[in-house]
Amino acid sequence: MCSNLIDNLINICHLNHLLESIDEIYVRNQILALLNESEFTDPPIGNLSLNLYETLDRLCDIAVEKNIIDDNLQSRDIFSSNIMNKFLDKPSVINNNFFELYVNSPKSATDWFYDLSKNSNYIKVNRIAKNKSYIVKSPYGNLEITINLSKPEKDPKQIALEKSAPANKYPACLLCVENEGYNGTIKLPDRANHRVIRTMLNNREWAIQYSPYLYYNEHCIVLSAEHVPMKVTKDTFKTLLDFTSFLPHYFVGSNADLPIVGGSILAHEHYQGGNYVFPMKNAEELFKFRLETHKSIKGIVLNWPLSTIRLSSLNVYELTDACNLIFEAWKKYNNSECGILSHSDGTPHNTITPICRRKGQFYEMDLVLRNNRTTEEHPLGIFHPHKEVQHIKKENIGLIEVMGLAILPGRLLTELEDIKDYILEKEDKVASYHKEWADELKHKYKSCLDIDKFIIQELGNKFTTVLEHAGVFKLNEKGIDGFKHFISTL
């Protein structure tokens, strides 16, 4: 059976352009060595009806039976990645292939690298397919919701192993370039089949990779080759603009650089991008403005729950300066009526989430104004999801949510079913933290409505409120006047 599985995997990878016929014997022997097998038996004529993921699972089963690996998710993932690494070229060859394609078309280069990352099982396509995605209506246009089911739950045994394992000092973090080809441990993910594209942006070395658990199409991560912390500066705008010159069909954005409003990893400078149009891109205009010092720049404020300025220009140098002008002004801006204080006891609160894209020959930069101040009433943040919505979303509102895509935990799928049963008076198993919301929905629901569509839209309404809480200038008369006042200070 081992020979059958290896032959099936080679056939699949041959169809996926991961090897040539001349490579087959070499790769077969490499996989045999991983399985402690010294011989290969010619498999019977006819292919197994197993896909890539099923074949890898069966090979992992054999490795477990032979005590080559432990029977836990991390060990199986590491072993699978080592198998797939046998089909991949060294980073130098992959980079050369990428840039040979890039000469003719940046899109053909990313298409090739994206397919390579999927076909080598670095991008966990079979797990991502489990996610549930929905489009919901809001006063700001359609929003998107994904219930994340892609990451398998860890069993108690694996959790115990992780707790007892010593801390890793290498690689320094999950985003370091030293992860390329790294075997993985019980604490650190498998990266044997991981490859990055090296490039220079704004006179610094960067690496481009795809996220193993994509949240949207071609979800890429742009990471500094040097392990340095996240910091939004004028150089950030230069780097983002440089990236969209390098890959004009991709957007790119940075999480904010302060706790609460920043991303989940602030220890390593990185951005996220990809070939995707988020709801925010299609937001309507609230009002226009001009910068007297930068007359080539077109400026608008978006009708979007998070307070967003959109600048566009053909001139990247002037656009960089205009972004920095607004950023520097925002860092010291105060508006007590809107609850905005730039500092408390010397601690800064104001920063931005910048997002860059191309629109034909024009460059567009969205500057999302953020503030991370806390109070006794809102200990997790004034401009953070408030208590009444934290049963849906309690975590930081990062770059992806800012643009209108909610990434919600897998537990919600079961919990929403419980809420449906409660509304329909079938059964009451509603979690205590959802009880108040479930009562509201039960009162609101009419029997003529499709219960599934009703629940998802109400979930979307919650996400809309989450985004509204994160906006520093609310879209009411006081908030819009405050926004216009800030623009006037420029």
Side-chain angles (χ1 to χ4, degrees), residues 11-40:
N11 288 337
I12 291 168
C13 291
H14 190 83
L15 291 171
N16 287 338
H17 310 292
L18 288 181
L19 81 164
E20 303 291 337
S21 297
I22 198 172
D23 303 320
E24 290 180 9
I25 294 172
Y26 167 81
V27 171
R28 176 198 299 159
N29 288 332
Q30 292 291 302
I31 299 172
L32 285 171
L34 287 175
L35 290 162
N36 291 345
E37 292 279 348
S38 58
E39 295 185 3
F40 182 83

Side-chain angles (χ1 to χ4, degrees), residues 368-384:
V368 186
L369 308 180
R370 313 297 301 273
N371 177 287
N372 76 344
R373 190 165 70 92
T374 61
T375 61
E376 286 187 14
E377 183 184 1
H378 300 294
L380 296 182
I382 301 171
F383 304 106
H384 179 84

Side-chain angles (χ1 to χ4, degrees), residues 141-154:
N142 289 338
L143 300 177
E144 297 175 17
I145 290 175
T146 292
I147 296 180
N148 187 13
L149 302 168
S150 57
K151 292 189 179 181
E153 290 188 19
K154 298 173 183 177

Side-chain angles (χ1 to χ4, degrees), residues 51 114 117 123 137 145 161 170 199 213 242 245 256 335 347 357 368 370 418 425-426 462 465 487:
N51 64 28
Y114 187 53
S117 300
I123 296 175
K137 296 178 181 178
I145 290 175
L161 284 171
Y170 175 90
T199 190
Y213 291 95
D242 215 1
S245 293
N335 187 323
T347 300
R357 67 183 74 82
V368 186
R370 313 297 301 273
D418 291 340
E425 298 184 345
K426 291 182 179 179
K462 278 284 180 180
T465 304
I487 294 296

Side-chain angles (χ1 to χ4, degrees), residues 26 30 35 41-42 75 84 125 165 195 217 248 252 264 272 280 312 316 319 363 424 485:
Y26 167 81
Q30 292 291 302
L35 290 162
T41 305
D42 286 336
S75 296
M84 294 310 299
V125 175
R195 300 293 187 270
N217 187 51
V252 66
S264 56
Q272 295 182 78
M280 181 187 197
S312 62
V316 293
L319 185 54
Y363 292 82
L424 298 174
H485 177 262

Side-chain angles (χ1 to χ4, degrees), residues 402-418:
V402 162
M403 295 186 288
L405 169 58
I407 309 297
L408 301 177
R411 63 172 172 81
L412 265 179
L413 203 61
T414 302
E415 292 172 352
L416 291 176
E417 289 299 320
D418 291 340

Side-chain angles (χ1 to χ4, degrees), residues 355-372:
I355 301 141
C356 189
R357 67 183 74 82
R358 295 287 291 275
K359 190 174 182 180
Q361 295 299 307
F362 281 82
Y363 292 82
E364 266 187 5
M365 185 78 78
D366 290 348
L367 304 175
V368 186
L369 308 180
R370 313 297 301 273
N371 177 287
N372 76 344

Side-chain angles (χ1 to χ4, degrees), residues 19 22 24 60 66 80 105-108 131 150 168 201 215-216 328 334 350 353 388 408 428:
L19 81 164
I22 198 172
E24 290 180 9
C60 285
K66 299 177 75 168
S80 296
S105 162
K107 186 177 185 303
S108 66
N131 292 344
S150 57
N168 289 79
L201 299 172
Y215 288 145
Y216 51 86
E328 292 297 329
N334 295 284
N350 287 357
T353 300
E388 64 266 28
L408 301 177
D428 184 359

